Amino acid sequence: MDVEFFTREEFEEAADFIRSRTQRSPSVGLILGSGLGSLAANVTEPDIIVYSDIPHFPVSTVEGHPGKLVIGRLEGLEVLIMQGRAHYYEGYSMQRIALPVRVMHILGINTLIVTNAAGGLNPAFRPGDLMLITDHINLIGMAGLNPLRGPNDPHLGPRFPDMSQAYDPELRQIALQVATGLGLSLRQGVYICLAGPSFETPADLRFLRMIGADAVGMSTVPEVTAARHAGMRVLGLSGISNVASPEPGEGHETTHEEVLEAGKMVVPKLIALIKGILREIGRQR
Ligand code: HPA
């Protein structure tokens, strides 16, 4: 369904269900992208809820997206992890894709860490690199696909939310410091969201580079838009899974298997980085 609108009551229903299944009150939410879900194995004493049990939740149909909420402790903080996410190309409305973020907000989560697998448009990027998202280009939103389209409930956020600092400067600083401390090289760049599911043509890729994007993917921006609408602080990390180059011989055919394989390369670095960031967030509270 392309258009559907949810009310606060429906978000509350999903939040109430989650509260009925866990005693914990997480303050940090994490959304783990393609092949990146194994961070959740680090959570101690997890309460696990499958998405299909939660009212109104979208259920991912894509391989590499297990479709579970994992709620527990990680590095001393109570966290709620989405192991897998839904995408627009699966047929869900933007409003449904953003629903879990609204539910997180109702549950009291004020910090969101989003991860994804992305194609590297920046010629310096290599598969296995980690990129800190400094900003995004909402190409899919410019084409009219924005999760905030429709009636606005002012209790959830303003009609016209500011997006000038979508990715929290303090959290970015923390990520850079933690990466330095771990000896991890952390790229920085602009993420661009396309609808997918087809990968890009060389002409698409030339255009995306030209307009200033460093990494391309099919997620994240709808969730970040909903999170900023709700006033949540956001940190975004991309695992570069493949070279997205328009030059003959540089890029090559991109496959989902390749994306999942590269995810395995990124996971240990991503886990170390996110754990370090959580420790630092905990320390600063
Ligand atoms: N293009 C779009 N989305 C992606 C890519 C890509 O090359 N890699 C991972 N997600």
Side-chain angles (χ1 to χ4, degrees):
M1 194 185 283
D2 277 350
V3 183
E4 55 185 349
F5 302 122
F6 294 96
T7 60
R8 190 151 41 109
E9 288 67 33
E10 288 165 309
F11 301 133
E12 299 270 6
E13 238 182 286
D16 285 345
F17 179 84
I18 294 167
R19 282 195 201 102
S20 77
R21 295 286 201 92
T22 185
Q23 300 294 315
R24 299 191 182 276
S25 35
S27 58
V28 178
L30 293 101
I31 303 178
L32 304 180
S34 296
L36 306 177
S38 55
L39 173 70
N42 292 261
V43 170
T44 51
E45 295 171 39
D47 293 318
I48 297 175
I49 311 173
V50 294
Y51 295 169
S52 53
D53 285 347
I54 308 171
H56 317 298
F57 246 58
V59 178
S60 179
T61 59
V62 191
E63 196 196 334
H65 288 266
K68 288 182 195 154
L69 273 193
V70 179
I71 306 165
R73 285 188 88 77
L74 190 56
E75 297 300 323
L77 289 180
E78 301 224 316
V79 298
L80 176 149
I81 297 185
M82 286 184 68
Q83 211 182 13
R85 60 147 66 82
H87 307 80
Y88 183 71
Y89 62 74
E90 294 176 72
Y92 292 111
S93 69
M94 279 288 166
Q95 288 76 10
R96 196 179 292 269
I97 291 165
L99 179 139
V101 174
R102 261 95 185 256
V103 172
M104 284 185 196
H105 177 61
I106 288 172
L107 289 172
I109 289 171
N110 55 23
T111 302
L112 179 67
I113 301 179
V114 280
T115 69
N116 57 52
L121 294 163
N122 186 317
F125 290 3
R126 292 289 161 263
D129 280 355
L130 269 183
M131 184 188 92
L132 175 65
I133 305 179
T134 54
D135 200 356
H136 69 222
I137 300 177
N138 189 359
L139 195 65
I140 187 172
M142 290 175 198
L145 298 175
N146 191 307
L148 307 183
R149 178 168 176 260
N152 185 62
D153 180 343
H155 292 98
L156 297 173
R159 171 76 285 187
F160 301 106
D162 177 66
M163 289 296 282
S164 63
Q165 295 206 317
Y167 298 86
D168 189 79
E170 276 174 30
L171 291 177
R172 279 194 273 144
Q173 202 51 42
I174 291 176
L176 290 168
Q177 277 164 8
V178 170
T180 304
L182 290 169
L184 269 181
S185 124
L186 185 57
R187 309 279 198 174
Q188 298 190 63
V190 172
Y191 176 88
I192 190 161
C193 175
L194 275 57
S198 45
F199 287 115
E200 301 73 37
T201 64
D204 286 333
L205 295 173
R206 272 192 293 277
F207 167 69
L208 299 180
R209 276 190 177 175
M210 208 181 288
I211 63 174
D214 296 290
V216 55
M218 306 172 189
S219 69
T220 302
V221 169
E223 293 119 318
V224 171
T225 304
R228 291 304 298 145
H229 180 245
M232 293 161 81
R233 301 202 301 163
V234 176
L235 179 76
L237 296 164
S238 290
I240 302 301
S241 57
N242 57 287
V243 171
S245 168
E247 310 304 332
E250 260 190 46
H252 62 100
E253 214 175 282
T254 303
T255 64
H256 187 55
E257 289 65 39
E258 183 186 11
V259 172
L260 294 181
E261 269 310 305
K264 289 182 196 156
M265 262 199 281
V266 178
V267 158
K269 291 195 275 185
L270 191 67
I271 290 178
L273 182 60
I274 290 180
K275 281 179 155 184
I277 291 166
L278 290 175
R279 260 196 309 274
E280 191 54 31
I281 292 175
R283 216 178 52 78
Q284 292 192 2
R285 275 190 181 163

